[in-house]
PDB file of all heavy atoms in Angstrom:
ATOM      1  N   ILE A 356       8.617   3.098   9.522  1.00  0.00           N
ATOM      2  CA  ILE A 356       7.965   3.242   8.198  1.00  0.00           C
ATOM      3  C   ILE A 356       7.853   1.846   7.616  1.00  0.00           C
ATOM      4  O   ILE A 356       8.317   0.837   8.120  1.00  0.00           O
ATOM      5  CB  ILE A 356       9.048   4.076   7.294  1.00  0.00           C
ATOM      6  CG1 ILE A 356      10.332   3.287   7.245  1.00  0.00           C
ATOM      7  CG2 ILE A 356       9.222   5.563   7.807  1.00  0.00           C
ATOM      8  CD1 ILE A 356      11.259   3.871   6.128  1.00  0.00           C
ATOM      9  N   ARG A 381      10.101   4.657  -2.774  1.00  0.00           N
ATOM     10  CA  ARG A 381       9.178   5.415  -1.922  1.00  0.00           C
ATOM     11  C   ARG A 381       9.504   4.991  -0.466  1.00  0.00           C
ATOM     12  O   ARG A 381       9.504   5.910   0.412  1.00  0.00           O
ATOM     13  CB  ARG A 381       7.663   4.896  -2.093  1.00  0.00           C
ATOM     14  CG  ARG A 381       6.706   5.752  -1.340  1.00  0.00           C
ATOM     15  CD  ARG A 381       5.395   5.444  -1.872  1.00  0.00           C
ATOM     16  NE  ARG A 381       4.888   4.036  -1.351  1.00  0.00           N
ATOM     17  CZ  ARG A 381       3.693   3.528  -1.654  1.00  0.00           C
ATOM     18  NH1 ARG A 381       2.839   4.328  -2.309  1.00  0.00           N
ATOM     19  NH2 ARG A 381       3.387   2.300  -1.417  1.00  0.00           N
ATOM     20  N   ALA A 384      12.399   7.142   0.411  1.00  0.00           N
ATOM     21  CA  ALA A 384      11.961   8.550   0.631  1.00  0.00           C
ATOM     22  C   ALA A 384      11.284   8.774   2.003  1.00  0.00           C
ATOM     23  O   ALA A 384      11.600   9.683   2.672  1.00  0.00           O
ATOM     24  CB  ALA A 384      10.912   8.958  -0.499  1.00  0.00           C
ATOM     25  N   SER A 385      10.504   7.762   2.385  1.00  0.00           N
ATOM     26  CA  SER A 385       9.862   7.727   3.759  1.00  0.00           C
ATOM     27  C   SER A 385      11.115   7.658   4.715  1.00  0.00           C
ATOM     28  O   SER A 385      10.945   8.434   5.754  1.00  0.00           O
ATOM     29  CB  SER A 385       9.061   6.579   3.969  1.00  0.00           C
ATOM     30  OG  SER A 385       7.876   6.540   3.155  1.00  0.00           O
ATOM     31  N   ALA A 386      12.027   6.886   4.500  1.00  0.00           N
ATOM     32  CA  ALA A 386      13.348   6.914   5.426  1.00  0.00           C
ATOM     33  C   ALA A 386      13.987   8.126   5.599  1.00  0.00           C
ATOM     34  O   ALA A 386      14.138   8.719   6.687  1.00  0.00           O
ATOM     35  CB  ALA A 386      14.314   5.792   4.952  1.00  0.00           C
ATOM     36  N   ARG A 388      12.575  11.247   5.175  1.00  0.00           N
ATOM     37  CA  ARG A 388      11.683  12.034   5.969  1.00  0.00           C
ATOM     38  C   ARG A 388      11.724  11.793   7.426  1.00  0.00           C
ATOM     39  O   ARG A 388      11.480  12.677   8.364  1.00  0.00           O
ATOM     40  CB  ARG A 388      10.227  12.024   5.470  1.00  0.00           C
ATOM     41  CG  ARG A 388       9.166  12.933   6.018  1.00  0.00           C
ATOM     42  CD  ARG A 388       9.583  14.375   5.852  1.00  0.00           C
ATOM     43  NE  ARG A 388       8.626  15.243   6.527  1.00  0.00           N
ATOM     44  CZ  ARG A 388       8.662  15.652   7.745  1.00  0.00           C
ATOM     45  NH1 ARG A 388       9.558  15.105   8.606  1.00  0.00           N
ATOM     46  NH2 ARG A 388       7.822  16.419   8.254  1.00  0.00           N
ATOM     47  N   MET A 389      11.946  10.529   7.760  1.00  0.00           N
ATOM     48  CA  MET A 389      11.816  10.070   9.237  1.00  0.00           C
ATOM     49  C   MET A 389      13.176   9.924   9.885  1.00  0.00           C
ATOM     50  O   MET A 389      13.288   9.253  10.822  1.00  0.00           O
ATOM     51  CB  MET A 389      10.952   8.719   9.325  1.00  0.00           C
ATOM     52  CG  MET A 389       9.417   8.899   8.822  1.00  0.00           C
ATOM     53  SD  MET A 389       8.650  10.130   9.658  1.00  0.00           S
ATOM     54  CE  MET A 389       8.385   9.589  11.216  1.00  0.00           C
ATOM     55  N   ARG A 470      -5.806  14.620   8.340  1.00  0.00           N
ATOM     56  CA  ARG A 470      -4.708  13.728   8.196  1.00  0.00           C
ATOM     57  C   ARG A 470      -3.366  14.220   7.916  1.00  0.00           C
ATOM     58  O   ARG A 470      -2.516  13.895   8.589  1.00  0.00           O
ATOM     59  CB  ARG A 470      -5.102  12.685   6.951  1.00  0.00           C
ATOM     60  CG  ARG A 470      -3.883  11.776   6.610  1.00  0.00           C
ATOM     61  CD  ARG A 470      -4.086  10.815   5.528  1.00  0.00           C
ATOM     62  NE  ARG A 470      -3.029   9.907   5.318  1.00  0.00           N
ATOM     63  CZ  ARG A 470      -1.782  10.292   4.696  1.00  0.00           C
ATOM     64  NH1 ARG A 470      -1.790  11.401   4.170  1.00  0.00           N
ATOM     65  NH2 ARG A 470      -0.901   9.375   4.547  1.00  0.00           N
ATOM     66  N   GLY A 475       4.010  18.521   6.595  1.00  0.00           N
ATOM     67  CA  GLY A 475       3.940  17.439   7.521  1.00  0.00           C
ATOM     68  C   GLY A 475       4.490  16.106   6.989  1.00  0.00           C
ATOM     69  O   GLY A 475       5.293  16.041   6.079  1.00  0.00           O
ATOM     70  N   VAL A 476       4.039  15.027   7.517  1.00  0.00           N
ATOM     71  CA  VAL A 476       4.509  13.647   7.009  1.00  0.00           C
ATOM     72  C   VAL A 476       3.519  12.912   6.182  1.00  0.00           C
ATOM     73  O   VAL A 476       3.575  11.776   5.993  1.00  0.00           O
ATOM     74  CB  VAL A 476       4.962  12.905   8.261  1.00  0.00           C
ATOM     75  CG1 VAL A 476       6.200  13.327   8.881  1.00  0.00           C
ATOM     76  CG2 VAL A 476       3.779  12.526   9.246  1.00  0.00           C
ATOM     77  N   GLY A 477       2.537  13.567   5.592  1.00  0.00           N
ATOM     78  CA  GLY A 477       1.482  12.862   4.876  1.00  0.00           C
ATOM     79  C   GLY A 477       2.005  12.084   3.688  1.00  0.00           C
ATOM     80  O   GLY A 477       1.237  11.146   3.341  1.00  0.00           O
ATOM     81  N   GLU A 478       2.946  12.431   3.133  1.00  0.00           N
ATOM     82  CA  GLU A 478       3.545  11.824   1.940  1.00  0.00           C
ATOM     83  C   GLU A 478       4.392  10.588   2.358  1.00  0.00           C
ATOM     84  O   GLU A 478       4.590   9.651   1.531  1.00  0.00           O
ATOM     85  CB  GLU A 478       4.520  12.811   1.243  1.00  0.00           C
ATOM     86  CG  GLU A 478       4.629  12.264  -0.271  1.00  0.00           C
ATOM     87  CD  GLU A 478       5.440  13.272  -1.014  1.00  0.00           C
ATOM     88  OE1 GLU A 478       6.643  13.512  -0.681  1.00  0.00           O
ATOM     89  OE2 GLU A 478       4.954  13.811  -2.024  1.00  0.00           O
ATOM     90  N   ALA A 479       4.714  10.408   3.635  1.00  0.00           N
ATOM     91  CA  ALA A 479       5.582   9.429   4.079  1.00  0.00           C
ATOM     92  C   ALA A 479       4.706   8.201   4.522  1.00  0.00           C
ATOM     93  O   ALA A 479       3.577   8.528   5.134  1.00  0.00           O
ATOM     94  CB  ALA A 479       6.554   9.850   5.219  1.00  0.00           C
ATOM     95  N   LYS A 480       5.208   7.057   4.224  1.00  0.00           N
ATOM     96  CA  LYS A 480       4.406   5.837   4.556  1.00  0.00           C
ATOM     97  C   LYS A 480       4.881   5.508   6.110  1.00  0.00           C
ATOM     98  O   LYS A 480       5.813   4.590   6.186  1.00  0.00           O
ATOM     99  CB  LYS A 480       4.541   4.683   3.717  1.00  0.00           C
ATOM    100  CG  LYS A 480       3.253   4.018   3.305  1.00  0.00           C
ATOM    101  CD  LYS A 480       3.310   3.174   2.094  1.00  0.00           C
ATOM    102  CE  LYS A 480       2.243   2.157   2.204  1.00  0.00           C
ATOM    103  NZ  LYS A 480       0.939   2.509   2.518  1.00  0.00           N
ATOM    104  N   THR A 481       4.521   6.235   7.074  1.00  0.00           N
ATOM    105  CA  THR A 481       4.967   6.243   8.416  1.00  0.00           C
ATOM    106  C   THR A 481       3.862   5.751   9.374  1.00  0.00           C
ATOM    107  O   THR A 481       2.693   6.270   9.166  1.00  0.00           O
ATOM    108  CB  THR A 481       5.734   7.554   8.812  1.00  0.00           C
ATOM    109  OG1 THR A 481       6.281   7.280  10.052  1.00  0.00           O
ATOM    110  CG2 THR A 481       4.877   8.631   8.904  1.00  0.00           C
ATOM    111  N   ALA A 482       4.310   4.979  10.333  1.00  0.00           N
ATOM    112  CA  ALA A 482       3.212   4.348  11.257  1.00  0.00           C
ATOM    113  C   ALA A 482       2.130   5.321  11.871  1.00  0.00           C
ATOM    114  O   ALA A 482       0.949   5.142  11.803  1.00  0.00           O
ATOM    115  CB  ALA A 482       3.902   3.629  12.321  1.00  0.00           C
ATOM    116  N   ASN A 484       0.830   8.104  10.736  1.00  0.00           N
ATOM    117  CA  ASN A 484      -0.171   8.517   9.852  1.00  0.00           C
ATOM    118  C   ASN A 484      -1.433   7.658  10.164  1.00  0.00           C
ATOM    119  O   ASN A 484      -2.569   8.093   9.988  1.00  0.00           O
ATOM    120  CB  ASN A 484       0.178   8.550   8.438  1.00  0.00           C
ATOM    121  CG  ASN A 484       1.023   9.725   8.045  1.00  0.00           C
ATOM    122  OD1 ASN A 484       0.833  10.734   8.652  1.00  0.00           O
ATOM    123  ND2 ASN A 484       1.853   9.584   6.973  1.00  0.00           N
ATOM    124  N   TYR A 485      -1.092   6.286  10.235  1.00  0.00           N
ATOM    125  CA  TYR A 485      -2.228   5.446  10.333  1.00  0.00           C
ATOM    126  C   TYR A 485      -2.860   5.349  11.804  1.00  0.00           C
ATOM    127  O   TYR A 485      -4.038   5.241  11.865  1.00  0.00           O
ATOM    128  CB  TYR A 485      -1.696   4.018   9.876  1.00  0.00           C
ATOM    129  CG  TYR A 485      -1.288   4.028   8.436  1.00  0.00           C
ATOM    130  CD1 TYR A 485      -0.103   4.601   8.009  1.00  0.00           C
ATOM    131  CD2 TYR A 485      -2.067   3.665   7.379  1.00  0.00           C
ATOM    132  CE1 TYR A 485       0.312   4.652   6.623  1.00  0.00           C
ATOM    133  CE2 TYR A 485      -1.915   3.750   6.136  1.00  0.00           C
ATOM    134  CZ  TYR A 485      -0.555   4.269   5.678  1.00  0.00           C
ATOM    135  OH  TYR A 485      -0.143   4.404   4.326  1.00  0.00           O
ATOM    136  N   GLY A 537       2.336  16.714  -1.525  1.00  0.00           N
ATOM    137  CA  GLY A 537       3.152  16.571  -0.264  1.00  0.00           C
ATOM    138  C   GLY A 537       2.324  16.112   0.796  1.00  0.00           C
ATOM    139  O   GLY A 537       2.833  15.675   1.761  1.00  0.00           O
ATOM    140  N   ILE A 539      -0.498  13.885   0.246  1.00  0.00           N
ATOM    141  CA  ILE A 539      -1.177  12.523   0.128  1.00  0.00           C
ATOM    142  C   ILE A 539      -0.016  11.519  -0.292  1.00  0.00           C
ATOM    143  O   ILE A 539       1.105  11.996  -0.663  1.00  0.00           O
ATOM    144  CB  ILE A 539      -2.197  12.619  -0.947  1.00  0.00           C
ATOM    145  CG1 ILE A 539      -1.676  12.960  -2.331  1.00  0.00           C
ATOM    146  CG2 ILE A 539      -3.273  13.641  -0.567  1.00  0.00           C
ATOM    147  CD1 ILE A 539      -2.721  12.812  -3.455  1.00  0.00           C
ATOM    148  N   LEU A 540      -0.382  10.387  -0.006  1.00  0.00           N
ATOM    149  CA  LEU A 540       0.622   9.361  -0.393  1.00  0.00           C
ATOM    150  C   LEU A 540       0.795   9.269  -1.929  1.00  0.00           C
ATOM    151  O   LEU A 540      -0.157   9.229  -2.803  1.00  0.00           O
ATOM    152  CB  LEU A 540       0.062   7.962   0.181  1.00  0.00           C
ATOM    153  CG  LEU A 540       1.124   6.847   0.200  1.00  0.00           C
ATOM    154  CD1 LEU A 540       2.091   7.202   1.405  1.00  0.00           C
ATOM    155  CD2 LEU A 540       0.437   5.534   0.363  1.00  0.00           C
TER     156      LEU A 540
END
Side-chain angles (χ1 to χ4, degrees):
I356 57 171
R381 191 172 65 179
S385 299
R388 181 63 183 84
M389 300 306 290
R470 176 184 179 275
V476 292
E478 202 177 58
K480 222 161 160 54
T481 185
N484 279 337
Y485 295 81
I539 66 170
L540 196 73

